[in-house]
Amino acid sequence: MGADVHKDEDRGDSGVPDPEYLSLERELTFLLRRARANQGEMAREVHPDLESAAYGLLVRLDEYGRQRATELAAYIGVGKATMSRQLRALEDLGLISREPDPADGRAWLVDLTDEGRRRVAHVREARRARYVSQLSHWDRREVAELARLLHQLNGVMEK
């Protein structure tokens, strides 16, 4: 019954979905499709052999520093085997290093290498510069509001 209640909330009095929710769905679909394509481009800028999905791991390590492989797997939403394969590939490319966790010898700590950190920083700075260029006609308060709303949306979507 709970799903039916929520299903009716996005419909107007006529039973037709509200245009606001249709517009939101359309714009998010477009944004996510573009984001996937951009992630692949950014991954190739870090290293030509880097898989698109691995770029998010590098950004996470860049932002939060050294982490356990299990924490990374939980963040990305993949299993241990998939994470192990991705980490092995990143290590082979010289972008990350792994070492045993001194607090738990069964666990591994993963961190960016100096080269990995340099490459990720270069790509992220280029991406930020593109945002500045593309949104230069926006008021900074609008940019801040967009960031705030996206943060709020991401928080709701995590639940």
Side-chain angles (χ1 to χ4, degrees):
M1 178 174 162
D4 293 335
V5 169
H6 293 292
K7 191 174 184 180
D8 290 339
E9 287 177 359
D10 67 348
R11 296 185 181 276
D13 293 335
S14 66
V16 176
D18 287 333
E20 298 87 356
Y21 290 98
L22 288 173
S23 179
L24 175 64
E25 188 270 337
R26 180 179 48 254
E27 295 303 325
L28 283 176
T29 298
F30 183 74
L31 178 68
L32 293 172
R33 184 174 51 241
R34 184 160 292 200
R36 278 191 297 275
N38 286 341
Q39 184 171 341
E41 291 171 15
M42 289 181 288
R44 286 185 295 282
E45 288 177 31
V46 170
H47 194 284
D49 297 329
L50 185 63
E51 290 183 25
S52 177
Y55 179 77
L57 289 172
L58 297 177
V59 169
R60 179 74 175 185
L61 289 169
D62 186 45
E63 290 182 355
Y64 293 93
R66 189 170 72 167
Q67 294 181 43
R68 283 185 172 188
T70 53
E71 291 172 315
L72 290 169
Y75 170 73
I76 299 293
V78 298
K80 286 172 42 177
T82 299
M83 180 55 53
S84 180
R85 182 186 60 77
Q86 287 184 345
L87 292 176
R88 197 168 25 260
L90 290 170
E91 195 171 28
D92 290 347
L93 294 174
L95 301 173
I96 65 155
S97 61
R98 292 190 285 180
E99 61 185 52
D101 184 344
D104 181 354
R106 300 167 297 168
W108 289 92
L109 290 174
V110 180
D111 202 1
L112 291 173
T113 61
D114 290 342
E115 178 67 8
R117 195 170 316 286
R118 184 189 67 73
R119 287 178 181 235
V120 170
H122 175 75
V123 171
R124 294 187 80 194
E125 182 55 38
R127 180 173 58 168
R128 279 189 294 276
R130 282 193 299 270
Y131 290 154
V132 169
S133 173
Q134 291 168 337
L135 300 176
S136 64
H137 63 285
W138 285 35
D139 184 282
R140 285 187 175 263
R141 290 175 299 221
E142 291 174 315
V143 175
E145 180 66 1
L146 176 60
R148 186 190 70 75
L149 289 170
L150 288 171
H151 178 76
Q152 186 177 339
L153 178 63
N154 285 329
V156 168
M157 300 302 235
E158 275 187 2
K159 296 176 182 175

